[in-house]
Amino acid sequence: MSKRLVNILVPLISILLGLIIGAIVMAVSGFNPIDGYVALWNGIFMDTYTMGETVRQITPYIFSGLAVAFAFRTGLFNIGVEGQLIMGWLAAAWVGQAFEMPAVLHVPVALIAAAAAGALWAFIPGLLKAKLQVHEVIVTIMMNYTALHVANALIGVISGGEERTEKIHESASLRSDFLESVTDYSRLHWGIIVALLAVFVMWFILQRTTLGYELKAVGFNKNASEYAGMNVNKNIILAMVISGAFAGLGGAMEALGTFENMSKLHAATGIGFDGIAVALLGANQPFGVLLGAILFGALKNGGLNMPSEAGVPTEIVSIVIALIIFFVASGYIIRVALERFGKKRKEEK
């Protein structure tokens, strides 16, 4: 059995096993698995509105998955995507409502502000890692909570004590009358195009540039990279900054597309943390992340329909997702089983 075929089969089998065991959990809990999965399907594909909302849900997951995956590919664990996304959300919302300019400038400026805010928030753990060898996992986790409270405080300042910022100007919005009309007035926006471009950008950086080669080399072996003349500290910081920029753009999707403002948060959005799962599902590959985000976003959005249509709690969807992630993480066992199966078939022939 070829390596490429095994790489394709491992996630597919993981998804299938997750769905099967999820069905068993539903049955044991007293729910009808068929009704549950029909409701899940309808929540994703029932009509143009639900499909539009599904794509909208997928969009920020693409960015959070790319942010985590980029850091992983360069030997870093960016667990602070949640905080970087929050800061990007705030920056985009502020630029969108504080300035007036033509749409051709306003949207790019707001997106750049979001990317810069996320990058700046990731720069701090990158600097501490490079200069003082402080583990990035600890710093990024702490900075998630810092971002939450800093953002809430700044929202109060920006809005004059209100619970949310003012709505962004239309010139900064990613909303589209065309996309809304063809999806029965869902909240689908042009952010999905930006997300697809981001997938290509990550692929291009890692596979077609000297910078990408250096970042991956430093991630594989710092000592060998330093011996080869690479600036290890600079590349560590740069990897975190680029990862944070992807996360910040994920926040911009919420600020400029879905909500068109930012409200004070009582808890984490979860999008950044879910990005870890998306990156894992996508094997830290740009196009794999895209597929992982599609699966994750579809399950999340479709799961919202399960309580109303089938009486199945949304927690069941979380269990299914967790099971899929578990089996992907246990992919080595599936891989070994597939390879043995392939050898057995060869011997029989």
Side-chain angles (χ1 to χ4, degrees):
M1 192 174 292
S2 68
K3 188 176 179 181
R4 176 175 289 183
L5 181 59
V6 170
N7 290 337
I8 294 171
L9 286 175
V10 167
L12 291 178
I13 292 172
S14 300
I15 293 167
L16 183 61
L17 289 172
L19 292 172
I20 290 170
I21 298 179
I24 294 171
V25 170
M26 273 190 263
V28 170
S29 303
F31 302 106
N32 188 319
I34 296 175
D35 291 344
Y37 283 140
V38 168
L40 177 66
W41 178 270
N42 289 337
I44 301 169
F45 300 111
M46 182 167 56
D47 51 36
T48 54
Y49 175 83
T50 54
M51 286 190 284
E53 283 295 305
T54 298
V55 175
R56 178 201 60 77
Q57 184 79 51
I58 289 166
T59 304
Y61 283 132
I62 295 174
F63 284 103
S64 63
L66 290 176
V68 175
F70 191 91
F72 280 168
R73 290 292 300 276
T74 55
L76 297 168
F77 296 92
N78 184 4
I79 313 301
V81 170
E82 178 71 24
Q84 294 147 23
L85 183 143
I86 289 172
M87 298 311 290
W89 187 343
L90 178 64
W94 178 68
V95 170
Q97 62 99 23
F99 301 97
E100 293 187 25
M101 57 184 81
V104 70
L105 289 176
H106 209 171
V107 171
V109 169
L111 291 174
I112 291 169
L120 179 61
W121 209 249
F123 169 79
I124 298 169
L127 181 66
L128 292 173
K129 169 78 171 182
K131 298 297 184 182
L132 302 175
Q133 299 303 306
V134 180
H135 205 290
E136 70 276 11
V137 170
I138 298 170
V139 181
T140 51
I141 287 174
M142 292 193 301
M143 290 192 70
N144 286 329
Y145 299 101
T146 306
L148 177 66
H149 296 295
V150 167
N152 283 345
L154 290 175
I155 288 170
V157 173
I158 293 169
S159 64
E162 298 295 327
E163 289 294 308
R164 61 181 58 84
T165 62
E166 293 180 18
K167 186 177 179 181
I168 62 171
H169 296 297
E170 192 174 340
S171 57
S173 178
L174 287 169
R175 290 278 185 93
S176 162
D177 291 337
F178 169 72
L179 292 177
E180 288 183 2
S181 65
V182 297
T183 57
D184 198 20
Y185 300 98
S186 74
R187 291 175 293 174
L188 179 62
H189 52 79
W190 290 119
I192 186 61
I193 304 300
V194 182
L196 294 176
L197 287 173
V199 171
F200 173 77
V201 168
M202 177 174 163
W203 171 83
F204 185 80
I205 291 173
L206 291 177
Q207 302 299 332
R208 291 292 184 267
T209 66
T210 304
L211 170 64
Y213 176 81
E214 287 195 12
L215 292 174
K216 289 187 292 183
V218 170
F220 282 130
N221 192 317
K222 293 179 188 176
N223 295 328
S225 300
E226 190 171 13
Y227 182 77
M230 299 177 191
N231 189 327
V232 171
N233 288 344
K234 183 193 80 172
N235 281 297
I236 288 173
I237 295 171
L238 194 54
M240 283 298 291
V241 164
I242 295 173
S243 174
F246 281 125
L249 286 170
M253 299 302 101
E254 304 297 88
L256 307 179
T258 303
F259 299 104
E260 296 190 317
N261 65 5
M262 185 177 187
S263 301
K264 288 185 178 181
L265 301 169
H266 301 292
T269 67
I271 298 171
F273 295 121
D274 290 341
I276 300 170
V278 171
L280 181 61
L281 288 171
N284 299 319
Q285 302 292 331
F287 298 105
V289 166
L290 174 60
L291 296 176
I294 290 171
L295 174 66
F296 209 90
L299 288 174
K300 283 281 188 178
N301 195 64
L304 298 175
N305 188 52
M306 291 174 74
S308 59
E309 185 173 324
V312 179
T314 54
E315 286 78 9
I316 294 292
V317 179
S318 299
I319 292 172
V320 171
I321 292 171
L323 287 167
I324 291 171
I325 294 166
F326 170 78
F327 286 115
V328 170
S330 308
Y332 176 76
I333 300 171
I334 300 172
R335 193 179 299 274
V336 169
L338 287 171
E339 287 174 353
R340 286 185 177 178
F341 177 74
K343 283 181 182 178
K344 192 174 181 181
R345 286 192 63 187
K346 272 188 178 180
E347 290 171 0
E348 289 175 353
K349 289 180 180 179

